Amino acid sequence: MLQLNFIKENKDLTIAGLERKYFKNAAETVEQVLSLDQNRKDTQLELDNTLAQSNNLAKEIGGLMKEGKKEEAEAIKGKTAELKAASKDLEEKLKELEVSLQDILVTMPNLPHESVPAGRTPEENLNIFSQGEIPKLHAEAQPHWELIKKYDIIDFELGNKVSGAGFPFYKGKGAKIQRALINFFLNEAEAAGYFEIQPPIVINAASGFGTGQLPDKEGQMYHATVDDLYLIPTAEVPITNIYRDVILSENDLPVKNVAYTPCFRREAGSWGAHVRGLNRLHQFDKVEIVQVRKPEESYQALEEMLEHVKGLLTKLELPFRILRLCGGDMSFTSALTFDFEVFSAAQERWLEVSSVSNFETYQANRLKLRYKVDGKTKLLHTLNGSALALPRILAAILENNQTAEGIKVPKVLQPFCGFDLIN
């Protein structure tokens, strides 16, 4: 959530930033926030003055009663009753203004970092890095949704029977390579200094609000309505919410956590060939890295996270590229996001496998996540990244490594899964 003081002190900058994220009615919304805040301050001042008058009159009544001036005291009591009624009305008005102000602030996205390119669509994202050669496949090469049937390693029909579309069964070597990927990603994160956590995969509404999924993305989350709990869309949510309403000391920093979880997304409105097979699922596995850093360190931390994900893809021997997202393609909460895409040779298209983002103080303000420095409390910066999401990584591995004899397993995964060929 944007800080009110920042908006007040940087009105034009706030409007410009909101417009770069294509937030509708940016100028009107900022003016509304400033107007509500001024109204709130005026009401608070009026309330304070009314309460002060009431207190002064109460003291005056007490003095008159001591002096035996009952009639004069009684005459003043009528005025105190009026002031009490007025203060009650002002308190109600103040509460309503504070709620209205909060309701608007939570609808406003984070402002983009100055390096975010202009643009509204994925086609306007900036390609800043690429590595690896596009594989040349043999004549009989197939997309991964055909390969998984051929080698009987993933079963979508069985998933549809038991759960519904987008909930596949992984079988045999398919299950083992999933486990291999998870263990590889976790081991690499641990080697990079991340502390492993296995969190709950359901969250309450306060946690969803803290990281910005609520009220922005409630339609994309699975909601267990009886208990008012949500299935997590990413481990970012429970891991970051560990620090909700927490004041860290400098000795606690930096925070570097990693978690493997299944993730659940309704993906409402998704259809077409681009979501076929493993390209888009309702349940999928992902390893997530999360950092909490001092503001002056967060962009260096972002670079470290980018290098970490680069290393994973390099070791998996997958061709990949990095995109700096434009304002219109960024998430609600992000200040700066880089997407990693791998090339899936049989589909002849790039597949997103990771987003690495700095949220600056946006999530921390919602979470009330602070640290103490020089006797003062300040908001921290939060960052996270997929390291990595499994489905499209597996799709690219299957397609890019297929041969006439079978699918070659990347060397780095072979010690984890115990085989070097899917056949």
Side-chain angles (χ1 to χ4, degrees):
M1 187 165 64
L2 297 178
Q3 297 175 68
L4 181 57
N5 283 342
F6 180 89
I7 297 172
K8 288 157 65 174
E9 294 168 9
N10 301 275
K11 174 184 169 182
D12 292 341
L13 182 65
T14 301
I15 293 171
L18 292 174
E19 287 175 343
R20 284 176 67 203
K21 272 205 167 179
Y22 294 89
F23 180 74
K24 291 182 180 179
N25 305 316
E28 294 88 337
T29 301
V30 170
E31 290 294 352
Q32 192 176 4
V33 165
L34 296 178
S35 176
L36 280 168
D37 181 58
Q38 187 60 51
N39 198 351
R40 180 187 61 82
K41 287 169 63 178
D42 293 343
T43 302
Q44 183 69 64
L45 180 61
E46 188 178 354
L47 175 60
D48 292 343
N49 290 336
T50 303
L51 291 172
Q53 287 182 55
S54 183
N55 289 336
N56 290 336
L57 286 177
K59 290 177 183 177
E60 188 177 343
I61 290 168
L64 290 170
M65 292 295 284
K66 284 181 182 179
E67 295 171 12
K69 299 178 180 178
K70 234 177 177 183
E71 289 184 8
E72 292 181 42
E74 290 295 330
I76 296 174
K77 280 184 180 178
K79 179 63 175 174
T80 61
E82 291 176 13
L83 289 171
K84 283 182 180 178
S87 65
K88 188 176 180 181
D89 290 341
L90 288 168
E91 285 172 353
E92 289 298 319
K93 181 181 177 182
L94 187 61
K95 286 179 185 176
E96 290 173 4
L97 287 168
E98 288 172 344
V99 169
S100 296
L101 183 58
Q102 185 77 0
D103 286 348
I104 294 175
L105 286 173
V106 300
T107 67
M108 299 168 70
N110 200 359
L111 303 183
H113 186 262
E114 60 185 12
S115 65
V116 171
R120 188 166 199 158
T121 66
E123 290 71 32
E124 295 168 278
N125 294 333
L126 189 63
N127 187 348
I128 64 164
F129 181 87
S130 60
Q131 179 179 299
E133 294 184 9
I134 304 301
K136 295 180 181 178
L137 301 181
H138 63 94
E140 304 300 320
Q142 297 176 303
H144 71 272
W145 52 83
E146 298 297 341
L147 293 171
I148 62 176
K149 293 178 185 176
K150 178 178 179 179
Y151 297 108
D152 194 25
I153 54 174
I154 303 174
D155 196 325
F156 278 91
E157 291 180 6
L158 185 57
N160 193 40
K161 169 188 172 183
V162 173
S163 302
F167 296 91
F169 275 78
Y170 296 82
K171 306 189 298 184
K173 289 186 175 180
K176 288 181 179 179
I177 199 168
Q178 281 281 105
R179 180 153 47 94
L181 282 163
I182 292 164
N183 287 334
F184 167 59
F185 294 152
L186 288 173
N187 285 4
E188 290 291 304
E190 184 181 13
Y194 288 88
F195 179 72
E196 184 177 349
I197 295 174
Q198 190 172 72
I201 60 170
V202 294
I203 54 160
N204 55 30
S207 294
F209 174 82
T211 43
Q213 279 70 31
L214 297 175
D216 180 51
K217 287 185 170 58
E218 63 269 34
Q220 292 292 350
M221 297 169 71
Y222 284 97
H223 188 194
T225 54
V226 173
D227 300 299
D228 195 24
L229 295 172
Y230 295 83
L231 295 179
I232 62 169
T234 167
E236 164 205 342
V237 185
I239 294 300
T240 311
N241 269 278
I242 291 171
Y243 308 98
R244 177 158 44 94
D245 298 318
V246 170
I247 299 176
L248 298 171
S249 70
E250 287 200 77
N251 293 334
D252 298 320
L253 298 168
V255 170
K256 295 177 68 176
N257 291 331
V258 61
Y260 152 69
T261 64
C263 302
F264 303 86
R265 299 182 186 178
R266 293 185 62 242
E267 299 288 6
S270 298
W271 63 87
H274 66 290
V275 299
R276 194 170 179 183
L278 295 170
N279 290 345
R280 187 156 297 174
L281 301 176
H282 292 308
Q283 178 182 333
F284 60 95
D285 292 321
K286 182 156 68 81
V287 173
E288 189 82 0
I289 51 176
V290 173
Q291 292 206 35
V292 179
R293 301 296 289 257
K294 295 178 187 178
E296 63 270 22
E297 299 173 352
S298 71
Y299 278 94
Q300 178 57 42
L302 184 64
E303 288 297 323
E304 293 169 8
M305 294 169 78
L306 293 175
E307 289 301 316
H308 179 72
V309 178
K310 277 186 190 179
L312 298 177
L313 294 171
T314 298
K315 290 178 180 179
L316 288 170
E317 303 174 65
L318 291 171
F320 69 93
R321 66 183 185 182
I322 305 175
L323 305 176
R324 186 192 301 265
L325 298 196
C326 66
D329 197 36
M330 289 169 61
S331 75
F332 182 81
T333 50
S334 174
L336 178 61
T337 295
F338 295 92
D339 273 5
F340 284 76
E341 296 182 339
V342 297
F343 191 78
S344 196
Q347 297 180 72
E348 298 183 340
R349 58 189 295 259
W350 293 95
L351 304 176
E352 180 198 332
V353 294
S354 174
S355 284
V356 182
S357 301
N358 189 345
F359 304 96
E360 297 187 355
T361 61
Y362 192 87
Q363 289 182 332
N365 193 28
R366 296 168 81 107
L367 294 158
K368 295 183 173 60
L369 166 54
R370 295 154 290 170
Y371 76 115
K372 193 164 282 188
V373 56
D374 299 329
K376 297 179 180 179
T377 56
K378 295 184 178 180
L379 290 172
L380 286 156
H381 282 195
T382 61
L383 308 92
N384 69 51
S386 312
L388 290 156
L390 271 67
R392 295 171 190 164
I393 288 288
L394 183 55
I397 287 173
L398 296 175
E399 294 188 11
N400 294 9
N401 297 328
Q402 61 182 300
T403 68
E405 292 74 37
I407 301 168
K408 293 179 179 178
V409 175
K411 290 180 182 178
V412 74
L413 296 181
Q414 291 173 17
F416 293 96
C417 58
F419 53 87
D420 58 9
L421 192 70
I422 298 173
N423 55 12

